[in-house]
Amino acid sequence: MNGFCSRDPEWKKAFVGYVEKEREITGEWFLPMALSTVDLDGRPAVRMVSPRGFVGDGFLRISKDDNGQWTSDVLTICTHAKSNKVQELVNTNDVQLVAYLPHTGIQIRLGGNANLLFHPDNPNHSSLSLDMRQRVWPRNEAASDNKDEGDPALVNGCDVDLDVEYIREQAYLNHSPVRQAWYSWPPPGRTRAADSSLYPTEISKIADKAEMEKYEMNARRNYVLIFIDVNKVDIVDLKQSTRKIYTRRGDTTWSALNVNP
């Protein structure tokens, strides 16, 4: 996290603050969350995922020229292009994610829409349906001073050069070599093959250069970055017995309501 600005919604500040408190105790950098989707038979399907962070924050810069001046409330997760969840999300992109932080006693539930970005060489690749230009804002709001607010090339009064493929690539590169290798494996959930060479633990350790390049390309093609356009957040503090629900308004601002836990 590069620090907050006044445009950051209250729920994001709370979310990051609670996660950082938990991290101080556990040492775990990425927060595991349960992702719920609807399978192709209409039944709920849930699995654990590790969000990569918010677009604009940390290594998820919006372009190669971004020096940390942009931020957003769009959360990212990733998956294998041949995972069952991909077809589930293509079919129904409404999702929920939930995390419980046992040391701080916080439960966080996020609801929203999943928007998938495939590698350009993947047959499923298409333009991102989410208009990311309307979901980012300058971290330093003084940057918008003296800009023409009526210029359609500006976002929040500022020039923005947003490259979603750059964001996807940075998310991939910031995985461990072991995790990157997993994306070169055969489709998840299928019968495991007897040939152990199909399951490299690290692509860079493959002796044959041509084979190494093939697996590296497969890993990149299979890497899907998912942008979660959050529209509802439910945070429960079990130690304080408080609960607050945040809901996105149509103009991208947020309402907050204290409710019974």
Side-chain angles (χ1 to χ4, degrees), residues 24-206:
E24 290 173 1
I25 300 170
T26 65
E28 294 291 331
W29 185 256
F30 292 106
L31 169 71
M33 301 188 77
L35 169 69
S36 178
T37 59
V38 179
D39 73 14
L40 301 186
D41 294 320
R43 296 191 294 256
V46 66
R47 77 288 287 161
M48 300 304 295
V49 297
S50 294
R52 306 302 292 158
F54 292 94
V55 170
D57 295 344
F59 54 78
L60 293 174
R61 304 291 174 83
I62 68 169
S63 74
K64 62 181 178 60
D65 297 321
D66 178 11
N67 295 315
Q69 64 264 43
W70 296 94
T71 187
S72 78
D73 57 9
V74 177
L75 192 66
T76 59
I77 60 176
C78 53
T79 192
H80 193 294
K82 297 175 183 176
S83 164
N84 289 339
K85 75 172 75 66
V86 166
Q87 191 55 49
E88 292 170 3
L89 292 173
V90 169
N91 191 52
T92 305
N93 75 339
D94 292 319
V95 298
Q96 280 204 344
L97 296 105
V98 64
Y100 176 63
L101 312 180
H103 297 92
T104 53
I106 302 295
Q107 176 186 279
I108 304 171
R109 184 166 53 186
L110 309 177
N113 302 117
N115 301 267
L116 283 67
L117 182 66
F118 295 87
H119 187 279
D121 290 344
N122 189 294
N124 293 314
H125 177 75
S126 62
S127 298
L128 192 66
S129 57
L130 175 64
D131 184 0
M132 290 291 299
R133 287 171 54 85
Q134 302 304 317
R135 287 290 183 266
V136 300
W137 53 84
R139 197 178 302 278
N140 177 10
E141 289 157 299
S144 63
D145 292 346
N146 302 317
K147 296 287 187 178
D148 180 2
E149 298 289 344
D151 187 341
L154 304 180
V155 172
N156 302 305
C158 294
D159 297 296
V160 56
D161 177 20
L162 194 149
D163 183 346
V164 291
E165 179 52 34
Y166 179 83
I167 300 171
R168 197 192 66 83
E169 180 73 0
Q170 293 308 301
Y172 172 79
L173 292 175
N174 277 277
H175 282 290
S176 69
V178 172
R179 189 59 177 170
Q180 288 177 0
W182 177 79
Y183 288 97
S184 72
W185 290 12
R190 312 293 170 80
T191 302
R192 189 177 179 94
D195 185 356
S196 62
S197 70
L198 296 174
Y199 306 94
T201 55
E202 289 190 37
I203 294 173
S204 62
K205 293 182 178 180
I206 298 174

Side-chain angles (χ1 to χ4, degrees), residues 7 73 134-135 137 156 247-255:
R7 278 288 307 275
D73 57 9
Q134 302 304 317
R135 287 290 183 266
W137 53 84
N156 302 305
T247 305
R248 185 194 289 278
R249 300 188 183 98
D251 60 357
T252 74
T253 59
W254 291 81
S255 65

Side-chain angles (χ1 to χ4, degrees), residues 224-242:
V224 181
L225 189 62
I226 304 173
F227 298 87
I228 306 295
D229 189 23
V230 180
N231 53 41
K232 189 172 184 178
V233 181
D234 186 336
I235 300 180
V236 182
D237 186 330
L238 297 173
K239 292 185 177 181
Q240 299 297 323
S241 296
T242 61

